[in-house]
Amino acid sequence: VGGSIPPLGTTQTLLNQYFRGYFTSFFILLYIYTNLHHMIWCKTVMKKNKKYLIYRGMSLWKREDRGGEYWGYLRINGQTFRKSLKTKSKSEGEKLLFEWKQELMLDPNSKVSNFENSFDHYSQLFLNKQKSYPNTPSGIPAWISTKTLLNREKGLLDFFGKQDVRSITKRNVEEFVNQLPLN
């Protein structure tokens, strides 16, 4: 009624049984070989490295194959960075990892620096907006007096500069006010 089933003992059935057995034994041997290779060769050549997740996008690796040194791995804005921290102490490695990330984030020449949220960036936007304002009654454009206040010694740009405006706290503002000269 349906398709025809070949009778037992035909050439096709014998070939199927032969190749099925051949492939099964091939995969069993491959499995045994890879496990033996991993147990014998890989364990003797490679030493176990330990990974410590410090913070999101930040991790330390203790590289046993490099004399137990800690390496820092950073993932910032979709980019991955790694380097040897040249220390064998985990706590010192954590400190160096945070310092390295801060260097990358604050360096204006870094690939990952994003100064769209810096105090300096917003102060420039504010100055550009003030250029469209009419002059003050004294005749001095408003943006010039604002620029003078921003750029004065120990002024806002000296103190906050490249700092991300989202990270400025009430305490930072108090520190700024306290450091201002009294004259």
Side-chain angles (χ1 to χ4, degrees), residues 60 85-97:
L60 279 178
L85 300 174
K86 297 183 178 23
T87 182
K88 292 186 179 189
S89 164
K90 183 181 174 197
S91 60
E92 186 178 354
E94 289 177 18
K95 179 183 164 202
L96 291 171
L97 185 64

Side-chain angles (χ1 to χ4, degrees), residues 35-92:
N35 282 333
L36 282 173
H37 169 76
H38 181 72
M39 286 171 29
I40 296 169
W41 178 252
C42 294
K43 298 268 183 180
T44 57
V45 172
M46 297 186 330
K47 294 181 179 177
K48 184 76 173 154
N49 296 327
K50 294 180 182 175
K51 177 182 178 181
Y52 302 97
L53 183 63
I54 305 302
Y55 193 70
R56 190 179 56 164
M58 298 173 67
S59 57
L60 279 178
W61 284 74
K62 185 173 185 180
R63 301 275 311 259
E64 295 295 339
D65 57 335
R66 303 278 177 146
E69 271 190 356
Y70 280 94
W71 281 61
Y73 289 80
L74 297 173
R75 184 139 178 92
I76 306 169
N77 297 337
Q79 298 180 27
T80 304
F81 301 90
R82 69 175 182 217
K83 80 171 188 176
S84 171
L85 300 174
K86 297 183 178 23
T87 182
K88 292 186 179 189
S89 164
K90 183 181 174 197
S91 60
E92 186 178 354

Side-chain angles (χ1 to χ4, degrees), residues 34-35 39 48 102 120 138 151 183:
T34 54
N35 282 333
M39 286 171 29
K48 184 76 173 154
Q102 186 174 6
D120 184 40
S138 65
N151 291 320
N183 54 3

